[in-house]
Structure formats: structure tokens, C-alpha cells
Amino acid sequence: MNRRNFQKQLATAAIGLPFVGKIKTNEPQLKARRLKKGDTIGVISPGSYIDDRGFEKAVRNLENLGLNVKLATNVRAQEGYLAGSDVQRLDDLHSMFADREVAGVWCIRGGYGCTRLLPNINYDLIRTNPKPIIGYSDITALLQAIYVETGLVGFHGPVASSNFTRYTTRYLKRTLFQGKRALEIEFSRNNLRKGKRDPAYEKYTISPGKARGKLIGGNLSILTSLAGTRWEVDIRDHILFIEDIGEKPYRIDRMLTQLRQATNLRRARGIALGIFEDCEAGRSDLSLTLRETLTDRLSDLNIPVLYGCSFGHIADQFTLPIGITADLDATRQTLTFLESGVE
């Protein structure tokens, strides 16, 4: 693509976008209407390209939920490792929020690319057309930026091409369709069984205690990349939830150290850690274990910290609404939503 034309297109996309500062944590949050069978869902690919198999699986997953699928114009575009150009992916995001037939926006996969879009998103458009937006991993960037700029509750849950297990589907429906106002999460029994042989799935308390606050968080790598930007997560007085995949302990250490030094992590109410799949050191590595690393970086914060919650890059995962009030009890090892994420 011609660089001059590309820059001109990006500038055009950003016209009329006012600077909007971070929302205050005590302001009421913006909630979209809950989903129901027969709703039309806009499917976008704001990060990496998806192959044919993943695409077909995504459409089938949403149709099995009783939803009608509306594909974004550029959902199958490709530009290197990205799902099309920044302009194409941004246009798809905007068009789905502007489309009155679309009840929700579902990201087809994560990968990489969402952070590139943040400066040029029309947050006013999203604020005036609130809809559930769903995804995880790289989609953390969209969920957090939209929350920071508009207060809209987004949903850290399966991307459209995920494995929609019975557990995943049950909590997805309870959160997005039924809008349960008081929901204590029952952690996946499959994950707990895996914890007996795989330390990544083991549930344990790093620091005991109880905490109440609004949920915020997502993928650790993305949260770290947002530190120091306009869309940095304001962790103060929140319950932070984090997960990651394929990062060795020293990299987990480095990212948590950056959050300690660059953000107000120390003022969090509590921390809920998901399942850090494939994050152990190799047998020949001179390394702390994942558990030792997390304990070293988080146990001195003097707040409740629980590891092994059923979310992350795993099959059985529950859906977390960004910005709702929740209780974390690291002693009893429970997480409870105290309000609905949808109207």
C-alpha cells in the first residue's frame, strides 16, 4: 500500500475524534442490552488473520447459540500477520457499532494488531451505540481502551473461534444472555482435575483475604503494553484479573515488575489470576517456577491474590464483564459477580 495514501486514510478515520480522558472509577458504567436468540452479531477480526478452518468454526459456534451472523466487510482480509490494514480493521469495528441491526460485536480471534487501532477509534460512536463486545487475548486492548474512554462494559470471554465447551457456553449464557446479577463462579472441574498433574491448572492462594471492587484486566502482555499510554489500566481500587500463555517465568517476572513500577498496581483491591498455560520453565533452565515467580512479585502487595481461576487460553473459561463489581475471596478461593454486565 502507498504509504502516503495509507497515512491520509488513517488521518481521515480520526477526523472529529475529541480527546476523552480516563473515566472516573466512581462514575456509573455504560451497559448494553443483553443478547437473546435471534439477535444479529457482527463478526470482526481486529487483530490477526484467521484461516478457513477457524473461520468456519467461528460461524458455527455463534449459530449454535441461536445467533444470526453478520460478517464484517474485511473479516477475511490479510496483510502479513494482520487481518487486513489498520484502516480496514478500524472500518469494520466502526461499521458494526454503527449498524442498527447488529446487537453485539464478537471478535473472531486475537493474535496481534488491536493496539495499533486505539488512537483512531471513534469512541463517541461506541458511546452512543453501546453494544457488548466479546473476546480475549489481544482483544484485551479493545476492551480496556473502550472501557477507559466510554465506560462501556465489555466481555473478556471466548473469541468466536474458541472451543465452546459446555462449561464455557454455560457461563457465556449466564453472563451475556441471562445477565445474572449475583453469580458465584464454580471453577471448571476439568481444570481442577488437570491441576493434579499440571501445575498450570492448580488452584492456590498466594495471599489470603477478601476484596470487593470493579473487575478490570485481561492478558498480561497486553496490559503491560498499555502501561504509559492514554489507555493504561487504572488499577486503583479494582480487582485485577490477568492471564497469559507461552511466557517463561522470567518474562512473567519482567511484565509484573513493569506493572509494579509503571502503574498503581499496589493500590489494587485484589488480584485474580487465571490459568497461565505453557508458562513453566524448561527442565534445563535456571529458573524459578511459575508459582514461585507469581508469589515473589505479588505476595508483598498486602492484598488478596488467588491463582487458578477458570479463564485464560484454555478450553473451559468463564466470561468476565469489565467494570462490574465483584467479590474475591482468596481464602475460600471464590469469585462472585455482584451485578450484571448487561441491561
Side-chain angles (χ1 to χ4, degrees), residues 2 43 54 129 134 195-196 211 220 225 242 283 302 339-340:
N2 181 278
V43 176
N129 297 277
I134 308 105
K196 295 180 180 180
L220 176 59
S225 72
I242 51 179
R283 291 184 178 181
N302 298 316
E339 63 175 308
S340 172

Side-chain angles (χ1 to χ4, degrees), residues 88-115:
Q88 287 176 311
R89 301 192 325 280
L90 190 66
D91 183 64
D92 282 354
L93 176 68
H94 288 160
S95 66
M96 288 306 178
F97 272 98
D99 191 333
R100 294 186 178 183
E101 293 181 355
V102 170
V105 181
W106 217 308
C107 300
I108 201 166
R109 67 155 298 181
Y112 167 72
C114 291
T115 54

